[in-house]
Amino acid sequence: MEADIRALLDLPIDPGTVKRTLGRSMFAKNLCYFGCVGSTNDVAKNLAASGAPEGTLIVAEEQTQGKGRLGRRWISPGYVNLLFSVLLRPNILPDRVFSLTMIAAIACADAIRTLSGVHAKIKWPNDIYVERRKLGGILTEFKASVEKVDYVVVGLGINVNWSPEDRDEVLYPATSILAETGRYSSRQDLLVQILKDLETDYKILMRGDVESFYKRWNELCCIRDRVVQVDMGEKELKGRVLRIDRDGALVIRKQGGEQERVLWGDVSVQWEV
Ligand code: BTN
């Protein structure tokens, strides 16, 4: 019942309006909108394999197979949150793909702040956090040969008009823009703002100017100076986060004072220490 009322308060996304508002944007050229779909990332990857152009945008109101990082599920009720993926065909080496997650996270945090005033931050490598709670996540998937990227799909899930404490399946402390502000937000406006910011940053990145993004990523990073535990599968590591370096790695000072760079892993934060 409550979900019905929320759906009325935030109308379904109107793809025609999104296209019009985006104007000449690369993301307005091939927009695919679904009421319900398995996973927008999977749709984008299938379209990529059949030659869809850069900028293809997949938006869904609901997913039945929403995917998170490390094989996890992404849980979201329908018509209350933002669920979308963009297809990019960047001319970069495979080891630079992380920079696309980086600019997507910056675009999300910036757009959320601009439209709702919520101080969204980035939890390396791909989470959007407010204080100690997760507001959104990014799943980047790509296909590449040794020296060339064929495509990159960047999928974003953002809790907008949903109070995640309603659900038991959510594994981590979660929040939403509604929970943070007490107000419903237009998912459509947020989508457009993120895409505009992302396009601007993508063009800057493709010109080779990555420097300003590292600075911004570090500024927005909510785990700097925090003690973290990183699960890297075969190995676990504990230490204090110093910074994110130019390769996108998390630089950690371990208990003995020695520094180690972490390129991937699942990060648990000890917020109190
Ligand atoms: C994470 O935090 O682990 C990443 C979550 C990414 C979720 C989004 S929702 C839209 C897109 N489609 C998916 O199946 N996943 C991403």
Side-chain angles (χ1 to χ4, degrees):
M1 178 63 189
E2 199 179 313
D4 294 345
I5 296 168
R6 289 177 186 184
L8 286 174
L9 289 166
D10 178 26
L11 295 169
I13 291 164
D14 174 19
T17 309
V18 171
K19 247 175 167 331
R20 259 196 316 283
T21 321
L22 283 172
R24 296 163 66 88
S25 160
M26 66 191 276
F27 298 121
K29 297 203 167 69
N30 191 22
L31 194 171
C32 310
Y33 169 80
F34 296 90
C36 187
V37 77
S39 152
T40 56
N41 266 37
D42 287 347
V43 173
K45 285 196 293 179
N46 286 336
L47 289 173
S50 51
E54 166 154 276
T56 294
L57 167 64
I58 319 296
V59 183
E61 299 285 6
E62 189 171 4
Q63 297 182 125
T64 54
Q65 304 288 326
K67 303 188 298 181
R69 263 179 88 234
L70 307 170
R72 296 188 181 123
R73 289 202 303 148
W74 184 256
I75 295 163
S76 166
Y79 294 85
V80 284
N81 293 328
L82 262 187
L83 307 164
F84 67 101
S85 304
V86 293
L87 166 62
L88 301 170
R89 295 190 183 276
N91 185 13
I92 55 174
L93 294 171
D95 66 354
R96 296 285 105 182
V97 167
F98 79 88
S99 60
L100 299 169
T101 306
M102 178 173 89
I103 59 164
I106 293 171
C108 262
D110 285 347
I112 290 167
R113 279 170 183 233
T114 306
L115 292 191
S116 69
V118 170
H119 282 255
K121 296 232 169 185
I122 299 167
K123 174 173 168 274
W124 183 93
N126 71 323
D127 289 338
I128 306 298
Y129 262 62
V130 180
E131 304 288 343
R132 301 172 186 194
R133 294 180 173 270
K134 182 159 168 167
L135 183 98
I138 302 171
L139 176 65
T140 303
E141 300 182 274
F142 66 102
K143 181 166 177 256
S145 59
V146 179
E147 76 293 352
K148 193 179 166 303
V149 169
D150 180 10
Y151 67 77
V152 180
V153 168
V154 183
L156 296 97
I158 300 168
N159 296 334
V160 182
N161 293 323
W162 173 54
S163 297
E165 68 272 16
D166 295 354
R167 300 285 279 257
D168 298 335
E169 315 96 287
V170 178
L171 300 170
Y172 40 77
T175 190
S176 66
I177 296 178
L178 171 63
E180 294 299 320
T181 61
R183 292 187 309 272
Y184 291 89
S185 302
S186 160
R187 293 175 299 130
Q188 191 164 289
D189 290 352
L190 184 60
L191 173 66
V192 169
Q193 186 67 44
I194 293 172
L195 292 169
K196 282 183 175 168
D197 289 353
L198 180 60
E199 181 166 11
T200 306
D201 291 350
Y202 181 60
K203 286 182 174 158
I204 297 172
L205 189 68
M206 288 305 105
R207 289 201 298 267
D209 178 8
V210 76
E211 209 47 41
S212 56
F213 297 123
Y214 285 116
K215 192 166 173 282
R216 189 89 185 102
W217 213 23
N218 273 286
E219 280 165 6
L220 286 172
C221 173
C222 63
I223 58 172
R224 268 176 77 191
D225 296 329
R226 296 281 180 197
V227 173
V228 294
Q229 186 137 344
V230 189
D231 181 354
M232 293 178 279
E234 75 294 344
K235 182 177 158 187
E236 281 210 350
L237 195 118
K238 191 173 170 187
R240 200 172 283 276
V241 174
L242 297 178
R243 64 183 175 281
I244 299 161
D245 75 9
R246 280 177 177 65
D247 295 323
L250 197 63
V251 184
I252 292 182
R253 192 176 52 231
K254 295 192 285 188
Q255 259 148 4
E258 193 191 333
Q259 291 187 17
E260 185 156 338
R261 294 171 67 247
V262 179
L263 278 160
W264 73 277
D266 200 24
V267 177
S268 316
V269 187
Q270 290 184 12
W271 296 105
E272 294 75 28
V273 201

